[in-house]
Amino acid sequence: MIASMTGYAVMSREIPEGSLTLELRSVNNRYLDIQFRLPDEFRLLESAMRELLNTQLKRGKVDCRLTFIPYANTDLPQKFNEQLLNKLLELNNAVKSALSDAKSLTVADILRWPGILSSDTLSTTALHESCMELLQATLNEFTATRVREGEKLKNALLERLRQLRQLTTELSPRIPMLLANFQEKLVARLQEAKIDGNDERIRQELILFASKIDIDEELSRLQTHLDEVEHTLLKGGRAGKRLDFLMQELNREANTVGSKSVDAEVSKISVELKVLIEQMREQVQNIE
């Protein structure tokens, strides 16, 4: 199955001390980039949460936000972090020594400082299991949303793949027709100029013209790349990087076809090929 890098999921769980809500959202990114926003009581869980996300996600910019709302009637006695207070006082004195006009920290500043107050009843160890279970449940739903989005991307890519195949089949018959037209015009011009147009001279001119407009190799490579794109999509898995590479190869061949064109219809088809490939490339950038 194909998974998108775009996804969203949010779940909540009630615990004796209050309500936990965990939100996961992601957008496309070249690598896996996980950002956490956690309450102070849960910061020690970041390493374990990151490890769990790393086992199931490989690409995307992921935001993980955990919110804890204590019950209004829950008695949560506060504990003062004296070690952090001493550190703040040391830093305050250092700043005052360097900048004499700097203002000292106020009592309100210190009380608002993250981690200066903590609850005796909220133990990170006690909450660890509930939080990790909530993360796993949210991650399951998050992964499901990425798979559903990935299925839509796959179907859209397969449809554009069908359109690309149709356009390439329209190119093949154009080359013999162009050669025939060129030969007819060449003979007519030689006759108008009253120049002896012997078979050998015409043959050489045709060979030279044919070499300039020959796109058989490009069409063959286009077909090979299209087959590989289809195989990769149907095989599934983490295919984003492989598909991105194939889009580059398809675009290269389409550009070469356009550069060899001496026919308005071939040029038109070449442009349509590049437009479709660019649309596919933008979609592929969202695939994990």
Side-chain angles (χ1 to χ4, degrees), residues 271-282:
V271 171
E272 291 177 358
L273 285 172
K274 288 189 282 188
V275 169
L276 283 170
I277 292 167
E278 177 60 23
Q279 291 173 346
M280 293 178 71
R281 188 189 68 83
E282 291 178 358

Side-chain angles (χ1 to χ4, degrees), residues 204-219:
Q204 290 177 354
E205 291 290 338
L206 284 174
I207 291 174
L208 180 61
F209 181 71
S211 66
K212 290 181 179 179
I213 68 171
D214 180 33
I215 56 172
D216 282 348
E217 288 188 15
E218 286 76 14
L219 291 179

Side-chain angles (χ1 to χ4, degrees), residues 187-255:
V187 171
R189 288 173 182 173
L190 290 174
Q191 289 176 348
E192 288 177 4
K194 296 181 180 180
I195 299 175
D196 181 23
N198 58 67
D199 292 343
E200 179 59 26
R201 181 169 184 177
I202 293 175
R203 189 181 69 84
Q204 290 177 354
E205 291 290 338
L206 284 174
I207 291 174
L208 180 61
F209 181 71
S211 66
K212 290 181 179 179
I213 68 171
D214 180 33
I215 56 172
D216 282 348
E217 288 188 15
E218 286 76 14
L219 291 179
S220 177
R221 286 193 290 267
L222 271 171
Q223 186 61 50
T224 299
H225 296 327
L226 292 176
D227 290 343
E228 184 60 25
V229 171
E230 183 174 11
H231 171 75
T232 302
L233 287 170
L234 296 178
K235 180 182 177 182
R238 294 184 170 96
K241 291 184 178 180
R242 175 63 177 166
L243 289 170
D244 186 60
F245 168 76
L246 290 169
M247 293 305 109
Q248 296 177 41
E249 295 301 305
L250 285 171
N251 191 59
R252 181 178 293 110
E253 302 304 332
N255 281 331

